[in-house]
Structure formats: C-alpha cells, structure tokens
Amino acid sequence: MTIAYDYKTRTLYTEGAAAQKAAHKVLLRHTFEPSLPERGYTNRTLHIDLSTLKVTEKAVTPEMKEVFIGGRGFGLWYLWHAITPTTKWNDPENDIIISPGPLAGNTAYAGSGKSLVVTLSPLTGIPIDSNVGGYFGPLLKFCGYDALEIQGKAERDVVVLIDGPKKTITIEEAPEENPDSHVAAEVFMHQYADDAKDFVNVSVVSAGKGAEHSRIGCLNFSWFDPKRGAARLKQAGRGGIGLVFRDKKIKALVVKKSGVNAASNRPDDEQRVRAAGMKMHREMHDLDHL
C-alpha cells in the first residue's frame, strides 16, 4: 500500500486508497438539513463531542450577533462557556472552535474565505485565536453552520465528515491514512469527492505527525487549485492549535458542499457589500506596493 506525493510532478500516488477508505469504521452517522445564510448568518452552530460521539446544534443568539459578530467573537464565546478556570489545553472539555464570520464566502469582499480558530493554547495555557484561509470556512457556512465546535477526545484516529450534498455528518475511524497535511489533504479530497470536478467542493483540515511532538503545531486548511490540479494549504499557525487537534485524535475534518456561487452568502444589501469590496480592492492595488 503506497500513498505519497511527488512535488516535482504534483502527482499523488494512491495505490491502496480504496483499501484505506474501506478500513474506515463509521462510529456515528447524523443527518442534518443544510441551509444557506440570511444576512450572513445561518443562526445555528454545530457541536461535536468526540468522547460521547454526540452531535448537537446550538442556536445563535441575538447577543452573539450584536456583541460578538462572528469569527473570533463566536470562538471566544463558545470557549468561555466550555471550560472552567482549571481547564488545561489537553483536557477533553477544551474546545476547538472554527468560525468563518458573516462575510464568509462573499467573493465581492477580500478575505471572505477566512476562518478564525480558537482554543486553549498549549504554549500559553490561555485562549488563542488564529486566522486562516482555505475553503473550509465558506463550505461550512454554506452547509448551514456559523461555527463548528469540537470537544472531547476520540479513542483512536478519526475523520469527521460534514457532507452537505448527502445531508450527513459522520465520525469515522481512519487507521491507515498518513496524517501529514500535504498527503492527507489530497488523500481525503480524493476519497470524498465524487470525481475530479468535485475536488473544488471539498476542504480538509489536518495537522501532521509533527504537531504531535511540537507545541507550535499548526492546522492546515485545504483548497483545490484547478490551475495546479492539486490541493493547496493555508495555515492557522498561532498558539499550537495543531497539537490540540492531534491530542483529540482527529486525523482530519472534511467538509463538502456543492453548488456554491457568489450569491450564496445572501447579504442584506449586496450592492453595499460590492461597493465596500471594490473600495478595498482599489486601496490594496494603489497602496500596497509589496
């Protein structure tokens, strides 16, 4: 069985990939109803407990939208309610929260692919946030969730799959795959995409073996680059979030959503968003000479 990536030819060798996926054991299958945002919010978030194998949804309150807005604010809100003053970074109740914010996936506005990741840092023992690009945040939003919150610890390496087209969330044991992100992003993209045209609809979050041995381990968020014909990675590199990820025995988070377009975010006033986005683009073009 061979899975390797050739950087020169950008070729993924996936001999045995079918056998690896066949080795997955589904621990939980949960159905949900996807929804698109209204005015940037879906008004619900997803909570997954890896210890109890339980999936629940939480309502986004008016206070969360008015005071905390999204992204970093939602992450800090959920972390505050998840932990106690004595919680350590490697305790099961420590949260990993990924939230893309109300502008997620709005292609008229620069930076709308960003997500904020929040957790207790292994480096400092206090809350840390890190922003990251890639497709995971927008695809999560367009599956119907303003944030993903993960608590608990799995007993063995698992993959969490949020599949919008199939309307299912699964937690699967994944004993065979290499967790290193440059391989995992490609492997899981190939495993869960329907075909090559579907690659753009899949995003993978992973942290490699290095994150298991370093407190500065980062998370890698994938996006498919059609020009290169390969998955590329963006990093949430602050605070050692990758170590928390691997301590929870997560090999990968995978989200899949098809049919995404420029109008999927459904803002309240699309013209004002476009005008603000054009102004930002002009400022970057005229003032950023790097």
Side-chain angles (χ1 to χ4, degrees):
M1 182 180 297
T2 302
I3 292 209
Y5 189 70
D6 187 324
Y7 288 98
K8 291 183 178 180
T9 63
R10 299 190 181 280
T11 300
L12 180 74
Y13 298 100
T14 56
E15 181 183 350
Q20 288 189 334
K21 189 174 182 181
H24 288 198
K25 177 183 178 182
V26 177
L27 304 176
L28 174 74
R29 189 183 303 276
H30 175 89
T31 60
F32 75 103
E33 192 61 39
S35 64
L36 289 176
E38 288 287 349
R39 300 182 178 183
Y41 292 100
T42 65
N43 293 312
R44 59 176 176 163
T45 62
L46 181 64
H47 181 279
I48 297 176
D49 190 317
L50 296 175
S51 296
T52 62
L53 297 177
K54 186 176 181 180
V55 174
T56 55
E57 294 183 0
K58 296 181 179 180
V60 173
T61 66
E63 180 184 12
M64 289 173 65
K65 290 191 288 185
E66 292 171 9
V67 179
F68 297 96
I69 301 177
R72 180 187 294 110
F74 278 24
L76 293 172
W77 168 273
Y78 281 127
L79 185 64
W80 172 266
H81 287 87
I83 63 175
T84 71
T86 60
T87 300
K88 306 299 182 185
W89 71 267
N90 56 352
D91 288 338
E93 64 264 28
N94 186 22
D95 249 352
I96 296 176
I97 305 102
I98 302 173
S99 181
L103 280 172
N106 193 314
T107 55
Y109 204 89
S112 65
K114 294 281 189 177
S115 298
L116 267 293
V117 188
V118 173
T119 193
L120 280 182
S121 169
L123 288 170
T124 64
I126 61 175
I128 187 69
D129 67 84
S130 184
N131 75 75
V132 59
Y135 287 175
F136 189 88
L139 295 181
L140 175 69
K141 174 77 75 170
F142 300 143
C143 278
Y145 297 109
D146 289 326
L148 170 63
E149 183 184 4
I150 298 181
Q151 279 186 298
K153 290 187 183 185
E155 294 183 1
R156 300 174 184 85
D157 277 345
V158 296
V159 171
V160 177
L161 169 65
I162 304 168
D163 191 324
K166 292 184 178 178
K167 304 180 180 181
T168 59
I169 298 165
T170 56
I171 301 176
E172 307 172 10
E173 281 189 10
E176 301 292 336
E177 289 88 354
N178 185 335
D180 289 341
S181 295
H182 64 288
V183 176
E186 290 278 357
V187 169
F188 290 117
M189 181 184 71
H190 279 77
Q191 284 187 3
Y192 292 110
D194 295 337
D195 50 39
K197 293 182 180 179
D198 200 35
F199 288 162
V200 72
N201 299 320
V202 179
S203 181
V204 180
V205 180
S206 56
K209 291 189 290 291
E212 301 169 19
H213 307 287
S214 169
R215 289 180 179 260
I216 198 62
C218 67
L219 290 187
N220 292 281
F221 285 55
S222 80
W223 59 286
F224 180 70
D225 185 343
K227 292 183 179 180
R228 296 190 181 187
R232 298 177 65 183
L233 301 173
K234 298 286 188 176
Q235 287 74 39
R238 298 179 63 224
I241 297 172
L243 175 55
V244 182
F245 190 88
R246 290 300 293 139
D247 182 69
K248 291 183 178 295
K249 298 293 185 183
I250 307 170
K251 185 169 281 187
L253 304 176
V254 183
V255 66
K256 180 178 178 181
K257 183 67 173 77
S258 58
V260 175
N261 57 53
S264 296
N265 182 270
R266 302 206 289 188
D268 182 53
D269 190 332
E270 186 173 349
Q271 293 305 313
R272 289 183 65 186
V273 172
R274 288 184 178 277
M278 290 178 64
K279 179 182 178 181
M280 180 179 289
H281 280 294
R282 283 196 299 269
E283 290 178 350
M284 289 189 294
H285 177 271
D286 296 341
L287 303 176
D288 188 354
H289 302 295
L290 296 178

